[in-house]
């Protein structure tokens, strides 16, 4: 009988029967309420892809600003029509800055930027001249532009 009582007490404690005492874990990262979202092709952020460099820059910016960063690969057909629902999902998530890499992803982002003037967009190898869209070329300067865009969004709000 005593063993059954001890087993019940142990199960109660293991299953959350008591709240932890003390402050939160100081190693836990505290993020700002700002998201930077990357729209990629179906290869995502795999090493060697154009999106991999953008993702590395986003992670660097996150360390500096504590912005949350995430990416969404467009699965299936690589077309503007198929990329549009993925772009719309990012708009529903209320990303503060949206980055796009890849032909269809950049095209749908440039088209959608006009409908979302309060969001900053960064497109790699795009051609937009909209005020809320930053066009960056692959290669030199890419990392600095991505980091700068995320910093501006986080510090500007």
């Amino acid at each position: 009988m005593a063993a059954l009582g001890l087993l019940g007490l142990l199960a109660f404690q293991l299953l959350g029967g008591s709240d932890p005492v003390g402050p939160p874990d100081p190693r836990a990262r505290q993020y700002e309420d700002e998201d930077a979202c990357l729209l990629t092709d179906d290869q995502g952020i795999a090493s060697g892809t154009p999106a991999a460099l953008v993702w590395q820059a986003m992670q660097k910016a996150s360390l500096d600003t504590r912005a949350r960063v995430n990416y969404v690969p467009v699965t299936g057909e690589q077309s503007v029509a198929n990329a549009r629902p993925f772009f719309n999902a990012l708009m529903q998530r209320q990303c503060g800055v949206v980055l796009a890499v890849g032909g269809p992803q950049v095209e749908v982002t440039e088209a959608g930027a006009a409908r979302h003037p309060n969001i900053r967009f960064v497109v790699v190898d795009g051609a937009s001249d909209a005020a809320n869209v930053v066009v960056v070329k692959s290669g030199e300067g890419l990392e600095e532009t991505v980091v700068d865009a995320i910093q501006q969004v986080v510090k500007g709000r």
Side-chain angles (χ1 to χ4, degrees):
M1 185 71 161
L4 185 59
L6 183 59
L7 185 60
L9 179 61
L10 180 62
F12 179 75
Q13 288 180 342
L14 288 176
L15 296 175
S18 62
D19 291 330
V21 178
D25 184 353
R27 297 171 294 179
R29 183 141 186 214
Q30 299 294 318
Y31 287 97
E32 295 290 330
D33 190 23
E34 201 64 65
D35 291 295
C37 307
L38 174 61
L39 188 63
T40 74
D41 64 14
D42 57 353
Q43 294 180 350
I45 57 170
S47 181
T49 63
L53 296 174
V54 175
W55 180 246
Q56 289 173 358
M58 290 174 69
Q59 290 179 311
K60 180 179 179 182
S62 178
L63 289 174
D64 294 341
T65 63
R66 295 183 312 193
R68 292 180 299 263
V69 295
N70 59 73
Y71 72 96
V72 174
V74 173
T75 58
E77 181 183 346
Q78 297 300 298
S79 67
V80 172
N82 189 46
R84 190 168 292 113
F86 293 90
F87 173 83
N88 291 338
L90 294 179
M91 295 302 94
Q92 290 176 352
R93 290 166 74 176
Q94 299 180 344
C95 299
V97 60
V98 174
L99 302 96
V101 179
Q105 294 77 13
V106 167
E107 193 173 333
V108 76
T109 300
E110 289 178 333
R115 294 187 311 275
H116 303 281
N118 294 329
I119 297 175
R120 179 178 300 268
F121 298 91
V122 178
V123 295
V124 177
D125 297 328
S128 177
D129 60 358
N132 61 334
V133 178
V134 174
V135 177
V136 61
K137 299 296 178 196
S138 299
E140 193 172 323
L142 178 84
E143 179 177 310
E144 293 81 15
T145 302
V146 170
V147 170
D148 184 56
I150 294 171
Q151 287 175 339
Q152 286 182 21
V153 168
V154 172
K155 293 176 181 174
R157 294 189 181 189

